[in-house]
Amino acid sequence: MDRLRRPFQIIRGDLRAYLFVNIFVYGVLLLGMALGMLFPDLHAARSASFAEGSQGALVNAVVGNGWVFGTVIFLVNVFPTALLLITLPSLAVPFAGLAVFAIKTIDLGVTLAPVDAISRLTLIPHSATLLIEFQAYALVMFGAYLLGRSWLRPETVDATTRRQGYARGLRRLAWLWLPALALFVIGAVYEAIEIYFLVPLVLGS
């Protein structure tokens, strides 16, 4: 039970910071979407780059099998994004993962911008995917923020040295990874359902 309660205790202990991280995470996504709508050529260029790049090729390779598709979505969310973009940079430089993730998310928002009728309809079921997966990212980002803060200001975690503050911040980050992983699983399952059932339904195909 402690494993279930501990992440929520961490959130309650710094609720204001957690809310600010959420505003930041969803805000940069919405900013990217707004940029994509304001600059359709930018949206078209980023969408074409995605479709022709390695990520688009990966999606095309696995989309025929729902289980494989969901597994790949989970792995991509966890390893290249949450681990490599957010966590690892933050282990080396305080708050670095927040900046890296923001840049990546703005680019994603540009790609997902609802610029036409099809993309607007597709966004209806996909908005739930974004809410779930970005909440998982927000938890990891919150942990990265706590790590950076405790590293630079060890007194915030009742530590006397930065080394001790780093260790305590790292433990909090690890605890927050647990609910994030659960949300990544839920998000991957829902996204598979979305792609195979909900998107065809809203598009009438």
Side-chain angles (χ1 to χ4, degrees):
M1 290 300 294
D2 286 342
R3 291 183 179 181
L4 295 176
R5 288 197 297 262
R6 182 56 181 152
F8 297 102
Q9 291 171 347
I10 294 171
I11 292 171
R12 285 197 300 269
D14 278 287
L15 186 58
R16 181 177 296 181
Y18 171 71
L19 294 176
F20 274 120
V21 168
N22 272 269
I23 292 171
F24 176 78
V25 168
Y26 292 107
V28 292
L29 176 64
L30 293 175
L31 174 61
M33 288 184 172
L35 290 173
M37 295 175 69
L38 288 172
F39 303 100
D41 290 343
L42 176 62
H43 164 77
R46 296 310 303 148
S47 297
S49 176
F50 175 85
E52 297 169 2
S54 59
Q55 287 183 309
L58 178 61
V59 170
N60 290 332
V62 302
V63 74
N65 186 304
W67 290 104
V68 176
F69 177 80
T71 301
V72 168
I73 291 297
F74 171 78
L75 294 175
V76 168
N77 285 335
V78 171
F79 292 101
T81 307
L83 183 62
L84 294 182
L85 291 184
I86 303 174
T87 302
L88 292 184
S90 299
L91 296 179
V93 179
F95 314 118
L98 281 71
V100 175
F101 180 80
I103 295 170
K104 177 70 174 179
T105 300
I106 290 174
D107 183 60
L108 176 63
V110 170
T111 304
L112 295 176
V115 297
D116 53 33
I118 292 178
S119 59
R120 285 192 289 271
L121 287 172
T122 302
L123 192 59
I124 294 172
H126 194 59
S127 60
T129 297
L130 296 176
L131 285 172
I132 296 168
E133 293 180 349
F134 273 76
Q135 182 54 220
Y137 293 139
L139 286 166
V140 178
M141 293 268 283
F142 179 52
Y145 166 79
L146 293 178
L147 171 62
R149 190 184 67 178
S150 62
W151 189 359
L152 297 177
R153 297 172 55 201
E155 68 275 8
T156 60
V157 288
D158 298 323
T160 56
T161 65
R162 287 187 174 178
R163 182 176 181 178
Q164 191 178 54
Y166 182 93
R168 293 183 181 181
L170 188 60
R171 283 197 294 271
R172 293 186 176 191
L173 171 59
W175 278 114
L176 290 166
W177 258 91
L178 296 179
L181 285 172
L183 286 174
F184 282 134
V185 171
I186 295 170
V189 171
Y190 174 81
E191 190 164 359
I193 295 171
E194 170 204 334
I195 293 298
Y196 289 99
F197 300 103
L198 300 182
V199 169
L201 182 64
V202 298
L203 294 181
S205 57

